[in-house]
Amino acid sequence: MRLSVLDLVPVRTDQSTADALTATTHLAQTADRLGYTRYWLAEHHNMPAVAATSPPVLIAHLAAHTTQLRLGSGGVMLPNHAPLAVAEQFALLEAAHPGRIDLGIGRAPGSDPVTSLALRGAAGRDDRDIEAFPQYLDDVVALMSARGVRVPLPRDLMRENYVLKATPVAVTEPRMWLLGSSMYSAHLAAAKGLPYVFAHHFSGHGTAEALAVYRDEFQPSDLASEPVTFLTVNASVAETSEEARALLLPQLQMMGRLRTGQPFGALDLVEDAEATTMTPQAQAVVASGLARAVVGSPTEAAEQVRALAEEFDVDEVMVNPVGSARRGADPTTATARDTTLELLAKELF
């Protein structure tokens, strides 16, 4: 089984952004050393507990500190960016680290409406860009290729079509993936012949249905000759199941606050989470997240990963190590997250 890593670069209450980035660098090096397949960085904005605001910047940093991992975005939220900007960033990353770059693209904004407006600009992009999302996918693919995109111009401006390219001489291209948590993404990935990743860690609903639709409707393309897919899952693994659950609790409570419209800050330490009383609505979110996470001792967690792979017929699982820390931990480390990768690799590799 192939294992990969999703990282949102969580920021605990005892950490600065610099601390969280230092911990993530070590986590990527751990994944590299252990033989994980790929390491993806998410895009989120204006969230106190998430330092992953710019996947291409993080990818460049981590690619320089690792040797084997495929580095990628999980994902770039395309409505926030011009297709040419995304194509240029990832084509350059591929030129610098050939054969190691993945471009995962999503349709959600990854932020609140005010932040989305700030990203796009008041005179810039709007909801019509959501409708144009399929065309933007095609544009990114073409822009990263050696052929580029031909832009039609009025004859009085130029006799021939203008050619746009992300780099002057592309030799290899990043592997492109479509991310999703809905049937829309499954239909679109199949129609475009794109590799597809389902965000099981995010919702946990409709995973089987989306993957079935993707496989049934898949149209071969230059990007994939047959369906290629895996799923993501939150994970917390420790020597005992009790400790794994304790380390997972702060992240579950943060999601409970987020999904019930409550204010939330940086990721709590374990002791603070254990002393917190949640509303019934938020507690229901906590229980739901616990039920679909990989959590427990090494043996229990490995069995859960195998069961997920068998249930959804995938030969790769991407784990999002979300364990927090106890009071007094070194803020430049994320020991619980490193341990999750270490213990899973020991059982599954």
Side-chain angles (χ1 to χ4, degrees):
M1 177 181 295
R2 293 194 301 271
L3 284 179
S4 294
V5 181
L6 174 65
D7 188 2
L8 277 64
V9 193
V11 183
R12 305 190 308 259
T13 54
D14 64 337
Q15 290 179 311
S16 67
T17 301
D19 293 334
L21 290 172
T22 298
T24 270
T25 302
H26 188 270
L27 187 68
Q29 292 171 330
T30 297
D32 197 38
R33 171 176 55 82
L34 293 171
Y36 281 74
T37 300
R38 66 189 89 242
Y39 194 104
W40 282 8
L41 290 308
E43 177 186 342
H44 292 280
H45 300 281
N46 202 33
M47 293 185 176
V50 179
T53 57
S54 178
V57 172
L58 289 169
I59 290 167
H61 171 71
L62 295 181
H65 288 81
T66 56
T67 59
Q68 304 296 324
L69 282 172
R70 291 192 66 91
L71 279 299
S73 55
V76 164
M77 300 296 103
L78 191 53
N80 293 336
H81 313 284
L84 177 58
V86 174
E88 285 182 334
Q89 291 162 357
F90 281 81
L92 281 175
L93 285 168
E94 176 66 20
H97 306 280
R100 293 185 61 200
I101 303 300
D102 291 332
L103 170 53
I105 287 182
R107 188 171 65 113
S111 60
D112 60 82
V114 175
T115 306
S116 294
L117 180 62
L119 284 165
R120 301 176 192 181
R125 315 181 71 205
D126 56 31
D127 289 341
R128 288 173 293 182
D129 294 290
I130 299 295
E131 299 173 7
F133 181 73
Q135 181 59 52
Y136 290 158
L137 287 176
D138 294 341
D139 290 344
V140 171
V141 172
L143 285 162
M144 292 189 300
S145 71
R147 67 183 182 278
V149 173
R150 293 190 176 275
V151 181
L153 296 175
R155 287 190 175 275
D156 58 342
L157 294 180
M158 188 171 292
R159 291 182 179 273
E160 298 180 358
N161 289 341
Y162 189 88
V163 178
L164 281 174
K165 292 184 177 182
T167 60
V169 187
V171 177
T172 59
E173 301 168 21
R175 184 74 185 275
M176 188 159 161
W177 300 73
L178 184 63
L179 283 59
S181 58
S182 69
M183 298 303 292
Y184 173 90
S185 58
H187 289 298
L188 183 58
K192 298 289 187 184
L194 285 167
Y196 178 54
V197 181
F198 192 85
H200 185 73
H201 79 286
F202 182 74
S203 67
H205 300 295
T207 306
E209 294 81 358
L211 294 180
V213 163
Y214 168 70
R215 291 171 177 134
D216 290 344
E217 298 181 1
F218 183 83
Q219 298 296 314
S221 71
D222 293 339
L223 301 174
S225 60
E226 60 185 13
V228 181
T229 189
F230 61 84
L231 55 82
T232 59
V233 63
N234 290 331
S236 176
V237 188
E239 291 296 343
T240 66
S241 58
E242 292 78 10
E243 180 65 4
R245 288 171 180 259
L247 292 164
L248 177 61
L249 183 61
Q251 194 271 345
L252 294 177
Q253 290 184 348
M254 183 182 68
M255 291 306 300
R257 296 186 188 97
L258 175 64
R259 294 190 177 180
T260 57
Q262 301 176 57
F264 67 99
L267 187 68
D268 281 340
L269 298 174
V270 171
E271 292 85 351
D272 297 325
E274 290 176 334
T276 296
T277 300
M278 305 293 288
T279 67
Q281 295 82 2
Q283 187 57 42
V285 175
V286 169
S288 175
L290 179 62
R292 67 173 180 272
V294 167
V295 55
S297 67
T299 300
E300 292 169 337
E303 290 175 353
Q304 293 165 26
V305 171
R306 293 190 188 100
L308 277 172
E310 182 176 354
E311 179 182 358
F312 298 112
D313 192 23
V314 295
D315 56 12
E316 180 176 339
V317 174
M318 177 173 276
V319 296
N320 178 22
V322 293
S324 184
R326 292 187 177 276
R327 189 167 289 111
D330 181 347
T332 66
T333 66
T335 302
R337 304 175 73 217
D338 283 303
T339 298
T340 290
L341 299 191
E342 294 268 7
L343 295 178
L344 279 178
K346 184 177 180 180
E347 291 289 327
L348 293 170
F349 292 165

